[in-house]
């Protein structure tokens, strides 16, 4: 498809993340990091699509991602987040949490901090499944049901919530500076307030009926009480944590597991999701059906259910389409972003007009011209 560059890397890519750019800058992102999984040797890699990544080789096209540096990673990279411009935090299948430093002048990576058995069972390591950063604080979750709070400038553990969950925790996001939200393998969302002592969540939300595992969660960047989740059944759920304990909107999205969901950080009327079924979807809330959308193939959106609960307060025009899942007047459109493929799209990230994703097909796809 037009505008998309594919880079084949001979490794299954589990995570892709853009390096953050200054919020006051109009600059588009040009550096991203990837992590691999299910390979004989896994690694974390730094790539460029900017000038310092341009190759003079005849077989390289303008805009193709160029490898700047990489570092061997012990275990599968199960999550990856930038702590700041220079540091990247990874979650490993070995239970380890690692901070890598990217040295821009020499284009090298080094380990600056390692918590080797952050997540573990009594006699074995437990995979660390998720990490979220609010520098200098780092929160991790794992299959052991623990929540760990670290500081990048301290060697020790700041706080451990033992037995935060009796089931595996799959993902975590910050709601506010002192509040996080986790999703688990029995379809629950749990809200935690670090200001409160003890090991109990301040709120639990869940779908009624089948306990379908949830794999991913993201918070609306402007309305912190609005979150999106995806799970094993491929459904996209929109929740308002102020309103009861059930999702506001439930939409059929993918035919298999949804691995990641992300609101656009500065234009949250746009949302992106990727799946085991090999698709990457762009969700757009717009009252103007003539507005150009992303390059791709339109698909029909099926609304499975919609709560009658109206949002209390907030910017109605900004969040109403997500809360109602209203596609009847062109308010919610969905577009396929990738050519049809069979292998899983494991991860995506979007920043500015740039989108990157990684697949089990050992490919990285970059779109630098996303009209947001």
């Amino acid at each position: 498809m037009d505008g998309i560059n594919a880079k084949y890397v001979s490794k299954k890519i589990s995570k892709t993340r853009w390096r953050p750019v200054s919020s006051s800058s109009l600059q588009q992102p040009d550096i991203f990091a990837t992590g691999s999984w299910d390979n004989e040797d896994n690694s974390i890699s730094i790539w460029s699509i900017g000038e310092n990544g341009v190759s003079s080789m005849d077989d390289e096209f303008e805009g193709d991602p160029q490898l700047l540096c990489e570092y061997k990673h012990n275990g599968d990279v199960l999550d990856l987040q930038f702590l700041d411009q220079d540091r990247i935090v990874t979650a490993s299948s070995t239970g380890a949490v690692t901070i890598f430093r990217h040295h821009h002048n020499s284009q090298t990576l080094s380990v600056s901090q390692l918590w080797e058995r952050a997540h573990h069972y009594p006699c074995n390591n437990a995979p660390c499944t998720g990490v979220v950063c609010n520098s200098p604080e780092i929160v991790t979750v794992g299959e052991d049901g623990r929540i760990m709070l670290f500081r990048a400038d301290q060697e020790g553990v700041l706080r451990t919530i033992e037995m935060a969950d009796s089931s595996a925790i799959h993902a975590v996001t910050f709601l506010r500076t002192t509040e996080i939200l986790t999703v688990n393998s029995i379809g629950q969302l749990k809200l935690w307030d670090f200001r409160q002592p003890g090991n109990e969540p301040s709120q639990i939300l869940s779908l009624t009926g089948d306990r379908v595992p949830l794999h991913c969660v993201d918070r609306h960047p402007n309305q912190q009480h609005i979150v999106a989740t995806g799970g094993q059944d491929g459904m996209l759920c929109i929740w308002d944590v102020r309103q009861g304990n059930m999702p506001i909107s439930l939409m059929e999205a993918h035919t298999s597991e949804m691995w990641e969901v992300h609101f656009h950080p500065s234009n949250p009327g746009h949302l992106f999701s990727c799946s085991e079924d090999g698709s990457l979807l762009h969700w757009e809330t717009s009252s103007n059906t003539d507005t150009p959308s992303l390059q791709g193939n339109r698909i029909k959106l099926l609304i499975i259910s919609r709560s009658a609960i109206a949002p209390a307060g907030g910017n109605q025009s900004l969040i109403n389409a997500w809360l109602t899942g209203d596609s009847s007047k062109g308010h919610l459109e969905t577009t396929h972003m990738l050519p049809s493929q069979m292998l899983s799209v494991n991860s995506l990230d979007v920043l500015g007009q740039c989108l990157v994703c990684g697949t089990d097909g050992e490919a990285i796809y970059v779109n630098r011209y996303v009209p947001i």
Side-chain angles (χ1 to χ4, degrees):
M1 293 183 181
D2 294 340
I4 294 181
N5 291 80
K7 181 77 172 183
Y8 293 93
V9 295
S10 302
K11 289 184 179 180
K12 293 181 180 179
I13 300 299
S14 56
K15 293 294 165 182
T16 58
R17 298 287 181 259
W18 289 109
R19 186 180 72 181
V21 295
S22 170
S23 57
S24 61
S25 169
L26 297 177
Q27 176 189 356
Q28 292 296 318
D30 61 354
I31 303 289
F32 64 90
T34 62
S36 69
W37 84 291
D38 196 28
N39 303 288
E40 189 171 335
D41 292 310
N42 290 299
S43 62
I44 173 176
S45 305
I46 306 295
W47 303 81
S48 172
I49 58 169
E51 290 183 1
N52 58 348
V54 171
S55 171
S56 60
M57 296 173 62
D58 294 337
D59 60 346
E60 298 290 350
F61 295 96
E62 183 181 356
D64 269 3
Q66 302 298 313
L67 180 65
L68 297 180
C69 54
E70 62 182 346
Y71 198 98
K72 184 176 179 179
H73 189 270
N74 187 18
D76 296 337
V77 178
L78 298 186
D79 204 0
L80 182 155
Q81 300 290 340
F82 274 90
L83 181 66
D84 51 33
Q85 289 267 324
D86 305 315
R87 292 176 294 176
I88 305 139
V89 186
T90 64
S92 174
S93 59
T94 67
V97 177
T98 309
I99 303 178
F100 292 90
R101 182 175 292 276
H102 178 208
H103 305 277
H104 301 265
N105 291 336
S106 60
Q107 291 303 345
T108 57
L109 283 164
S110 65
V111 174
S112 65
Q113 183 71 281
L114 171 64
W115 294 278
E116 198 160 3
R117 295 187 76 239
H119 293 271
H120 60 275
Y121 300 117
C123 300
N124 204 353
N125 294 337
C128 177
T129 54
V131 60
V132 65
C133 303
N134 185 15
S135 185
E137 294 186 339
I138 301 165
V139 177
T140 67
V141 296
E143 285 190 9
D144 56 355
R146 283 185 179 88
I147 298 173
M148 310 289 291
L149 175 61
F150 305 96
R151 280 183 65 100
D153 52 2
Q154 295 181 13
E155 289 187 8
V157 179
L158 207 60
R159 183 175 177 185
T160 302
I161 302 181
E162 296 279 358
M163 292 300 294
D165 217 305
S166 58
S167 56
I169 306 175
H170 286 160
V172 59
T173 189
F174 272 103
L175 286 186
R176 297 172 183 84
T177 306
T178 60
E179 290 181 332
I180 61 168
L181 190 73
T182 60
V183 296
N184 67 16
S185 61
I186 57 172
Q188 294 177 323
L189 291 77
K190 295 185 178 182
L191 194 151
W192 307 83
D193 190 338
F194 284 131
R195 295 169 298 184
Q196 303 300 321
N199 295 346
E200 297 298 322
S202 57
Q203 190 177 349
I204 300 177
L205 301 89
S206 65
L207 278 168
T208 56
D210 295 337
R211 294 186 166 187
V212 177
L214 293 173
H215 294 307
C216 54
V217 60
D218 195 32
R219 182 204 72 188
H220 191 290
N222 302 328
Q223 305 285 338
Q224 285 89 343
H225 53 277
I226 304 300
V227 296
T229 63
Q232 185 171 291
D233 57 2
M235 305 292 286
L236 173 65
C237 298
I238 306 295
W239 309 71
D240 184 341
V241 298
R242 307 168 308 174
Q243 302 283 353
N245 63 351
M246 291 181 61
I248 300 296
S249 297
L250 180 63
M251 291 160 275
E252 189 174 84
H254 299 277
T255 58
S256 191
E257 294 95 333
M258 185 190 299
W259 293 129
E260 286 194 6
V261 61
H262 292 288
F263 287 102
H264 190 283
S266 56
N267 293 278
H270 299 262
L271 180 143
F272 300 83
S273 61
C274 63
S275 170
E276 180 73 23
D277 66 11
S279 65
L280 192 161
L281 298 183
H282 168 230
W283 304 73
E284 180 180 4
T285 62
S286 172
S287 58
N288 182 4
T289 56
D290 295 327
T291 302
S293 72
L294 298 169
Q295 296 117 336
N297 300 316
R298 287 280 167 83
I299 65 172
K300 185 179 180 181
L301 176 68
L302 176 63
I303 307 296
I304 301 299
S305 68
R306 183 182 307 153
S307 170
I309 301 173
N315 185 331
Q316 300 296 310
S317 63
L318 190 64
I319 63 176
N320 192 54
W322 290 126
L323 293 179
T324 62
D326 186 2
S327 63
S328 60
K329 298 178 181 179
H331 288 168
L332 193 53
E333 296 177 347
T334 313
T335 307
H336 274 292
M337 289 292 294
L338 290 178
S340 179
Q341 59 175 35
M342 297 298 293
L343 296 176
S344 175
V345 181
N346 298 320
S347 181
L348 73 96
D349 198 24
V350 60
L351 186 61
Q353 288 188 295
C354 298
L355 183 144
V356 61
C357 69
T359 75
D360 271 357
E362 302 185 344
I364 302 166
Y365 294 91
V366 176
N367 186 340
R368 296 195 298 167
Y369 306 103
V370 175
I372 297 294

